[in-house]
Amino acid sequence: NMSVVCCVRMSVIDVVLENKPFLDISVRISPSNLYRNDERLSNFEGIIAERLFNIIGKSNTIDYEKLAIIPNRFQWVVAIELVVLNMNTDPTDLCSIAINTSLKCPMVPNHTLIRGESGEYEDFDINSFPSEAYLLPILKEIPICISIYKV
């Protein structure tokens, strides 16, 4: 019996000013009775996050071109935050399913592109009305992690 809560947060960076990856995955494991006060817990969280990044971030899963608001200038960044509850085994499989489910429907605010004096798009305005948000389909392929253990 294991539960995972997954949250996808979309934010914007200026690619010229900030050198950040376009995908960030963090994992937090709620200490259960088995792992309470166990110093290995934070290390395990890092291992799970790295595994998930290798599965999701390094594969052909996310269409990074769709994350561009103005190419080579403003870009959406996807931050995935996972909280694992009631862990009784390796949570990688369930976390990968939760990520894929969450990335199927990320909503972003509507925006208007602004042209500069050169006629090219230089900036944008975010529309703050939630009702005008739209679905940003960023998934190309959906890898699901399946662990097989030899007993």
Side-chain angles (χ1 to χ4, degrees):
N1 185 11
M2 186 169 29
S3 303
V4 173
V5 177
C6 182
C7 173
V8 174
R9 182 174 33 93
M10 306 288 285
S11 58
V12 177
I13 63 166
D14 184 334
V15 178
V16 176
L17 299 177
E18 299 178 62
N19 187 15
K20 282 185 168 180
F22 300 144
L23 176 66
D24 180 38
I25 299 176
S26 66
V27 177
R28 197 167 39 111
I29 299 173
S30 178
S32 64
N33 292 333
L34 288 174
Y35 294 96
R36 195 175 307 274
N37 300 323
D38 191 337
E39 61 191 37
R40 295 174 294 176
L41 189 61
S42 63
N43 186 38
F44 191 54
E45 290 171 340
I47 291 169
I48 298 297
E50 184 178 345
R51 279 187 205 161
L52 291 168
F53 185 81
N54 288 336
I55 294 166
I56 308 288
K58 291 186 178 178
S59 65
N60 198 23
T61 302
I62 296 177
D63 187 348
Y64 290 103
E65 290 179 12
K66 288 187 179 177
L67 293 176
I69 297 172
I70 299 175
N72 300 317
R73 182 58 201 247
F74 294 107
Q75 179 90 25
W76 288 108
V77 175
V78 181
I80 300 169
E81 298 170 9
L82 294 149
V83 178
V84 179
L85 308 169
N86 306 325
M87 185 179 77
N88 57 5
T89 186
D90 185 341
T92 306
D93 298 354
L94 187 58
C95 288
S96 73
I97 293 169
I99 288 172
N100 286 315
T101 302
S102 298
L103 287 179
K104 284 183 181 178
C105 54
M107 300 293 287
V108 293
N110 198 0
H111 56 275
T112 305
L113 298 177
I114 301 170
R115 291 187 188 271
E117 291 178 11
S118 66
E120 294 187 18
Y121 293 120
E122 293 181 357
D123 206 353
F124 67 100
D125 279 332
I126 295 278
N127 185 332
S128 60
F129 296 109
S131 62
E132 295 187 16
Y134 65 96
L135 179 68
L136 184 64
I138 58 174
L139 285 181
K140 292 200 285 191
E141 298 175 358
I142 305 175
I144 302 283
C145 179
I146 299 173
S147 298
I148 300 172
Y149 295 98
K150 185 177 180 180
V151 181

